[in-house]
Amino acid sequence: MPQHKTEQQLIRAENRLFFRRWLRHPFRLGTIAPISQKFATYAASFLPTSLSGPVVEVGAGTGRLTRSLLKNGRLSPDTLAAIELDPHLCSFLQNTLPTIRTIEGDARHIGKLIPADWVGQVAAVVSVIPLMYLPVASRQEIMENCFSVMGKKGIFLQVTYSSRSPLQAVEKLLGLPVKTTRLGSLWWNCPPGFIWCYQLADKA
C-alpha cells in the first residue's frame, strides 16, 4: 500500500476503502464512511486520564478513532490494540498504524485475540462496532467477553450514532449489575454522535 503523504490523502484513502467495504457488508459496517475526525477527537477525549492497563479498540475500521486515541497523549502504542473483523480494513490498519497491535478477528473472541498477559488487565474497551444492527445474542456475547478481559475498574466505551443505549436490550440479559452512562453527545456531527459508558457496578 502506498504511503499517504498528508492527512487529507489519508482521509480520502480511508473514505474510498470504507465505502467499498460498506457496499460488500453494509450492516457489518453500519455507515458508508468512517467516523468523522471531529467525532473521533471528541470520543477519544472520554478515555480516562489515568489508565491502569492496556486499551483495546474493537471494530477499529480504518483507524480514524485509533489515531485520535493515540494523539490525546493518554496512551502509548504498546498499550493499545485494535481489533478489526474485515481483512481489508485490518490490512489498511497494519500499514497506516504499524506501531500498535493490529489484530484481525471477531470481538466475540477478544480473550483469545489479545496477548495472554492482558487478560484481566484491560483498562478500557473502546467499541465502534454498530451494535444496534447486531442480534441481541451477538451483542450480549461481545459485552460478556469484553468484561471478562477487563481489570477491576475496566470500562466499556461505545461510540455510536444511537441516542438510546445500543446495549439496552442486553443489560438485563447479562445478569450483572451494569452501570450505564451517556457520557457525551455531539449533536452537530452528521449524523449526531453519542458516547456510552458501561461498567460493572461491583467493579467501581
Side-chain angles (χ1 to χ4, degrees):
M1 178 178 296
Q3 294 297 312
H4 305 288
K5 295 180 180 180
T6 70
E7 185 71 16
Q8 286 304 312
Q9 288 175 324
L10 177 58
I11 289 173
R12 285 195 293 270
E14 284 183 288
N15 290 341
R16 287 194 299 268
L17 174 60
F18 199 96
F19 181 68
R20 290 199 301 269
R21 301 314 297 161
W22 175 82
L23 289 173
R24 296 291 299 271
H25 304 287
F27 292 106
R28 182 191 294 176
L29 296 182
T31 62
I32 64 173
I35 182 174
S36 71
Q37 189 57 60
K38 63 182 176 182
F39 190 25
T41 301
Y42 180 72
S45 72
F46 288 97
L47 200 66
T49 54
S50 58
L51 294 169
S52 58
V55 171
V56 181
E57 182 187 359
V58 294
T62 58
R64 194 166 291 175
L65 177 56
T66 321
R67 293 196 300 277
S68 292
L69 291 170
L70 291 171
K71 284 178 181 177
N72 72 11
R74 298 174 190 174
L75 288 175
S76 59
D78 61 327
T79 61
L80 176 63
I83 296 175
E84 173 52 50
L85 180 62
D86 187 287
H88 296 268
L89 297 178
C90 190
S91 178
F92 187 91
L93 275 169
Q94 290 169 339
N95 281 279
T96 55
L97 287 165
T99 61
I100 70 165
R101 284 182 172 86
T102 301
I103 305 165
E104 182 184 335
D106 192 320
R108 292 177 296 179
H109 307 140
I110 186 172
K112 297 178 181 179
L113 297 174
I114 62 175
D117 59 349
W118 283 23
V119 175
Q121 304 298 320
V122 173
V125 173
V126 183
S127 169
V128 200
I129 297 172
L131 294 173
M132 70 282 285
Y133 295 118
L134 298 181
V136 171
S138 296
R139 297 183 226 176
Q140 180 181 359
E141 193 173 0
I142 288 171
M143 200 165 187
E144 286 178 339
N145 283 288
C146 286
F147 274 132
S148 75
V149 302
M150 290 194 288
K152 187 177 181 181
K153 296 183 179 180
I155 59 173
F156 184 99
L157 294 177
Q158 177 65 40
V159 180
T160 180
Y161 300 115
S162 173
S163 60
R164 297 178 61 189
S165 167
L167 289 167
Q168 192 172 31
V170 173
E171 293 160 41
K172 293 180 181 179
L173 296 177
L174 286 173
L176 298 170
V178 178
K179 179 183 178 183
T180 301
T181 309
R182 193 167 82 182
L183 296 181
S185 308
L186 196 65
W187 292 100
W188 55 90
N189 188 65
C190 185
F194 306 91
I195 313 299
W196 288 89
C197 178
Y198 305 89
Q199 187 172 27
L200 296 183
D202 61 351
K203 287 190 176 185

